[in-house]
Amino acid sequence: MEGSFVLPRKGSISDPLRIAVLISGGGSGLASIIAHEKSGSRFFRTVLVLADSNEAGGLKHGEMAGVESVGVPLPDIESKREQRLFHEKLIQTFLERRDVEFIALAGYMRILTPGFVAKWNGRLVNIHPSLLPKYPGAHAHRDALADGAMISGCTVHFVDEGVDTGRIIDQAEVPVLSGDRIEDLQERVKNAEHKLYPRVIDGLAMNPSSFLGRSGN
Ligand code: GRF
């Protein structure tokens, strides 16, 4: 039941694209997006930060920047399916209340349902810490090291119904160095993410159709 792929409207400096950033953890990616936004004239504006728990450390980055930042924990419902659907309904309510036009996942650790993805198709992106299609899933760095990869990196992609399978928008490479531990690679990749993601979001907001994939994927 894929919804049709609809890109966001073009943002402008005077009327920037209204984005929400969804996080689960420390939010260093969110911090980089906000820092980019504050450091010049941008085509997007972060109007909402949502986390899937009240404890997500990253909420403070939004709060410090004066952006509405809300933890939306999973509701207490026994059926996992109902719980997921109700949680997303809550998220959707916050998004609509703030007139959000575009969603950037930044370390958001929940898999979104096909219904939610369909609703935001073309206006929902994620950053993943590997050069997709290599090493999808929650253990990208571990998998890259186990595979003996010499190059890794990060990928910004549209979100589809699969796990890290959506259309690739842009990537940045980093070397894997001998003796790297997971944390070493993670830090190097995060540094690359923090440059790539804000730039891609701003570029998308400025000219959405120019970011339609590199090789027809
Ligand atoms: C990032 O590496 C991102 O690519 C991955 O989760 C990490 C989130 O880190 N999906 P942070 O919470 O932004 O610091």
Side-chain angles (χ1 to χ4, degrees):
M1 67 178 246
E2 197 181 329
S4 47
F5 188 88
V6 180
L7 287 164
R9 75 169 170 95
K10 266 185 188 216
S12 65
I13 305 292
S14 58
D15 185 14
L17 190 70
R18 298 170 63 81
I19 80 161
V21 183
L22 269 55
I23 61 167
S24 293
S28 65
L30 163 67
S32 75
I33 292 167
I34 291 176
H36 187 73
E37 183 182 329
K38 304 278 180 208
S39 67
S41 299
R42 306 298 176 205
F43 293 81
F44 73 94
R45 187 152 67 89
T46 306
V47 296
L48 181 64
V49 173
L50 294 177
D52 58 350
S53 112
N54 289 317
E55 278 74 54
L59 285 169
K60 69 175 183 293
H61 294 302
E63 284 158 10
M64 272 157 30
V67 178
E68 184 184 9
S69 302
V70 190
V72 186
L74 285 180
D76 199 6
I77 298 176
E78 207 171 312
S79 149
K80 289 288 164 217
R81 185 170 174 278
E82 292 304 315
Q83 187 188 44
R84 262 180 105 192
L85 290 173
F86 192 70
H87 185 241
E88 286 183 355
K89 234 185 221 167
L90 293 173
I91 301 260
Q92 180 68 25
T93 304
F94 278 104
L95 296 169
E96 285 174 13
R97 217 182 269 164
R98 278 273 162 198
D99 292 326
V100 167
E101 301 174 286
F102 185 84
I103 302 171
L105 305 181
Y108 188 66
M109 296 308 285
R110 301 195 55 77
I111 294 173
L112 296 161
T113 64
F116 186 91
V117 170
K119 205 174 289 162
W120 288 93
N121 195 1
R123 283 151 295 131
L124 173 59
V125 298
N126 180 42
I127 186 149
H128 180 77
S130 77
L131 296 174
L132 291 171
K134 282 190 166 247
Y135 320 126
H139 302 287
H141 303 307
R142 183 198 67 188
D143 295 346
L145 292 174
D147 196 32
M150 297 181 71
I151 305 264
S152 193
C154 51
T155 303
V156 182
H157 63 93
F158 287 105
V159 175
D160 68 7
E161 293 179 14
V163 176
D164 305 321
T165 51
R167 187 190 297 234
I168 291 173
I169 300 169
D170 208 352
Q171 297 182 307
E173 292 183 355
V174 305
V176 181
L177 303 180
S178 77
D180 263 355
R181 296 162 305 163
I182 290 178
E183 313 84 80
D184 303 318
L185 183 56
Q186 181 179 46
E187 193 189 335
R188 200 172 307 120
V189 170
K190 275 196 184 188
N191 282 332
E193 291 183 18
H194 298 166
K195 295 189 188 97
L196 180 71
Y197 207 17
R199 184 171 59 70
V200 168
I201 293 170
D202 199 42
L204 253 163
M206 182 175 72
N207 189 359
S209 54
S210 69
F211 275 73
L212 271 184
R214 297 144 54 106
S215 53
N217 55 341

